[in-house]
Amino acid sequence: MNFIHDDFLLHSQAARRLFHEYAEPEPILDFHSHLPAQAIAEDFRFRDLTQIWLEGDHYKWRAMRANGVSERYCTGDAGPWEKFQAWAKTVPYTLRNPLYHWTQLELKRYFDIDEPLSESTANPAWEKGNSRLAGDLTAKGILRKFHVRAVCTTDDPGDDLAAHRRVNSSDQELRIYPTFRPDKALRVDEPELFNPWVDRLEKSADTFIARLPALLDALSKRHEAFHALGGRLSDHGLPYCYANPCSERIAAHIFERARSGQPANPEEHDQFASFMMAFFGRLDASKGWTKQLHLGALRSQNSRMLKKLGPDTGFDSMGDWPQAQRLCAYLDLLERENALPKMILYNVNPRDNDTFATAAGNFQDGSTPGKIQFGSGWWFLDQKDGIEAQLRALSNSGLLSRFVGMVTDSRSFMSFPRHEYFRRVLCNLLGAEMERGELPNDFELLGGMVRNICFENAREFVGLEMPGAAKARGLMGTGIPA
């Protein structure tokens, strides 16, 4: 039997039925990704397997470095075949790392390659993969192949959104929407980064920004531009939540000093970031958006490699900051103002799973099912153990049936099988409990929940317009509306 087969990761009859009848047919709504919108608009054709699979993939770079592979074959000047060969040599050493599962699943789903990748199989995989890339596996072809109804990219307020407009005005099968990611608006502690960003925002918002009110007006204007293009989500990548009460007068003083090149000290940065995060919460609530918080990553810890390669190159890890009090303080600040938007909370440290799940429960208000979501396993936790742990924490403290499911959170067009991977893990977990008698042997009930987690819950929750979206179903047979 091939390693990747129809019942991969499905270890019971119930799991297999849940997956094949209920999960597998569902389309994909990838409401958080880092795909380049321009590549979709151009229907980009990839040169070879290295370009689509290895360029920008810091997961693979970390594994190659750990396997003793020179940086030349990761981010350096080695040729495409040399880099692919170096990766192929590394794959057998990734056993029990999620990269092994992902690699074989991606080879199977994109290129119909069954043979596990290794040094000895690298050449036929290279030839067959490149042949397929010369066919229908363009950027849009991949999205069609995996039944992706909509993709949400991650965009700075100053970004040009022309590519989103181009796709949505011409494509009848797909939508791409921008996600508002204003992280750089908090960087008053680094004027050398903050001020060029403000200058760029001035151009995109067609305004002059010398004082804080002008900054807020420019951000509001760009938020409206995202909304006009169908965007309904924001996102923030933070070490922890900022919720230190700060007046506009103090925030304005900190802003003006940063604009003059004076960095904010840690206390001032915390105050300014708190002021801005409250402002962003109000913006999202006023438009009915969903706010995503990606919390806890410890970024760019190898200073030499940061200087050489820049950020997002594979030198990040889990942070261990206390999360509970700051997270609840931020949610409470917005809730007191009746300005708490729908939220999805993503955790990167497994010790905090129950913290996040129980914090979400403090702020459900009966207005929206699952208004505060404990999001899917993120980054280091988007593997089998991490997915199962997140599902258990959510189930124990909240309503799994209202969960909005998986996202790729990826810069790679090769990552869509992660939705399948998540669905298999979900069905295997539920199927085992059905066969042990811990859940009812009711496929209408459990299958309906699986379908909703795979697609329908997210479609209802984020409120994006999608072509050919499935009719709202609800939990079949339960009387619970979608």
Side-chain angles (χ1 to χ4, degrees):
M1 179 183 292
N2 293 327
F3 181 70
I4 300 298
H5 53 86
D6 286 349
D7 297 331
F8 176 62
L9 297 181
L10 305 172
H11 301 306
S12 68
Q13 185 59 39
R16 291 189 280 272
R17 183 173 172 187
L18 285 173
F19 177 75
H20 293 301
E21 293 186 21
Y22 299 95
E24 190 173 25
E26 291 300 298
I28 289 174
L29 167 52
D30 203 29
F31 57 86
H32 178 68
S33 84
H34 295 271
L35 292 180
Q38 188 64 31
I40 300 174
E42 295 174 355
D43 198 16
F44 186 80
R45 182 174 296 282
F46 299 91
R47 178 191 66 240
D48 52 44
L49 272 176
T50 295
Q51 185 177 36
I52 192 174
W53 214 20
L54 301 180
E55 290 186 5
D57 192 335
H58 52 81
Y59 287 84
K60 293 184 177 67
W61 295 343
R62 284 171 69 97
M64 291 165 73
R65 291 166 186 147
N67 198 43
V69 174
S70 164
E71 193 64 32
R72 178 170 180 263
Y73 299 95
C74 300
T75 62
D77 61 359
W81 162 247
E82 292 177 293
K83 289 183 176 181
F84 181 77
Q85 192 175 36
W87 168 240
K89 291 179 182 179
T90 297
V91 170
Y93 294 93
T94 67
L95 288 167
R96 297 206 82 248
N97 185 296
L99 280 166
Y100 194 82
H101 281 174
W102 294 344
T103 295
Q104 311 308 338
L105 193 60
E106 289 160 8
L107 285 173
K108 176 66 174 175
R109 296 295 177 250
Y110 284 82
F111 310 115
D112 198 28
I113 294 173
D114 290 306
E115 193 73 21
L117 187 61
S118 65
E119 183 177 9
S120 65
T121 64
N123 190 67
W126 176 258
E127 296 296 330
K128 187 170 184 178
N130 289 343
S131 175
R132 287 296 310 276
L133 289 173
D136 59 354
L137 290 183
T138 60
K140 283 188 178 182
I142 289 168
L143 300 179
R144 286 191 292 267
K145 177 179 177 62
F146 289 96
H147 308 292
V148 179
R149 292 273 173 76
V151 170
C152 295
T153 60
T154 302
D155 308 275
D156 184 87
D159 284 350
D160 182 355
L161 304 179
H164 300 80
R165 188 178 299 108
R166 178 179 167 187
V167 171
N168 294 345
S169 64
S170 62
D171 199 297
Q172 301 302 310
E173 301 176 353
L174 171 70
R175 294 290 181 270
I176 61 170
Y177 295 112
T179 297
F180 194 78
R181 175 91 172 234
D183 289 357
K184 293 178 182 177
L186 311 185
R187 300 314 312 173
V188 287
D189 57 333
E190 298 179 281
E192 68 278 10
L193 301 178
F194 181 70
N195 285 322
W197 174 80
V198 175
D199 295 342
R200 184 164 171 259
L201 180 65
E202 283 183 328
K203 294 178 181 178
S204 64
D206 191 23
T207 190
F208 177 67
I209 304 174
R211 300 287 185 267
L212 181 62
L215 174 69
L216 303 183
D217 287 346
L219 287 166
S220 297
K221 186 175 181 180
R222 293 303 297 160
H223 194 274
E224 177 59 40
F226 279 58
H227 189 84
L229 278 175
R232 296 294 183 268
L233 296 105
S234 66
D235 182 45
H236 306 266
L238 307 172
Y240 42 75
C241 280
Y242 296 99
N244 184 3
C246 177
S247 68
E248 184 166 347
R249 180 184 63 81
I250 292 174
H253 176 66
I254 297 169
F255 172 77
E256 289 166 16
R257 289 183 61 214
R259 281 300 268 162
S260 69
Q262 301 178 60
N265 63 39
E267 180 182 358
E268 291 170 333
H269 173 256
D270 190 84
Q271 289 177 304
F272 186 81
S274 298
F275 177 85
M276 294 302 299
M277 287 302 296
F279 168 75
F280 291 133
R282 296 182 198 108
L283 267 186
D284 289 348
S286 71
K287 289 285 200 301
W289 281 24
T290 297
K291 179 177 290 299
Q292 300 172 97
L293 298 177
H294 285 82
L295 301 174
L298 185 64
R299 299 176 187 270
S300 301
Q301 291 304 290
N302 187 323
S303 57
R304 182 179 67 86
M305 296 305 287
L306 174 64
K307 184 176 181 180
K308 181 179 179 180
L309 301 177
D312 302 320
T313 50
F315 301 96
D316 314 297
S317 57
M318 298 176 186
D320 59 355
W321 297 281
Q323 296 287 348
Q325 190 170 3
R326 284 176 172 267
L327 173 58
C328 287
Y330 179 60
L331 299 179
D332 187 61
L333 182 154
L334 295 174
E335 199 276 337
R336 290 199 310 269
E337 297 184 16
N338 196 30
L340 181 63
K342 294 178 292 183
M343 283 202 191
I344 305 175
L345 313 175
Y346 300 94
N347 169 47
V348 78
N349 190 325
R351 73 166 194 190
D352 293 323
N353 278 336
D354 293 304
T355 293
F356 276 60
T358 54
N362 294 337
F363 297 93
Q364 309 291 4
D365 62 11
S367 63
T368 301
K371 177 177 178 177
I372 310 299
Q373 291 271 336
F374 177 30
S376 58
W378 168 49
W379 203 338
F380 296 104
L381 303 184
D382 62 354
Q383 29 71 14
K384 184 174 181 290
D385 289 348
I387 291 168
E388 289 178 345
Q390 185 271 344
L391 291 171
R392 289 191 178 98
L394 172 57
S395 299
N396 288 336
S397 300
L399 297 179
L400 178 63
S401 58
R402 291 298 188 180
F403 180 39
V404 293
M406 188 62 173
V407 292
T408 62
D409 190 19
S410 176
R411 294 169 174 81
S412 173
F413 281 88
M414 289 284 285
S415 293
F416 288 105
R418 293 189 193 177
H419 283 268
E420 176 188 343
Y421 194 76
F422 165 81
R423 293 175 185 189
R424 287 178 179 272
V425 173
L426 170 68
C427 291
N428 188 61
L429 186 68
L430 297 176
E433 293 178 352
M434 289 176 73
E435 296 208 344
R436 291 197 300 265
E438 296 172 15
L439 289 173
N441 187 31
D442 184 339
F443 283 93
E444 186 177 15
L445 175 66
L446 271 296
M449 181 173 76
V450 166
R451 279 176 170 164
N452 285 341
I453 291 171
C454 291
F455 179 77
E456 189 63 35
N457 286 348
R459 188 190 75 84
E460 287 286 321
F461 189 79
V462 299
L464 297 171
E465 179 183 334
M466 282 179 287
K471 184 179 179 181
R473 285 184 286 263
L475 282 174
M476 298 191 311
T478 67
I480 301 176

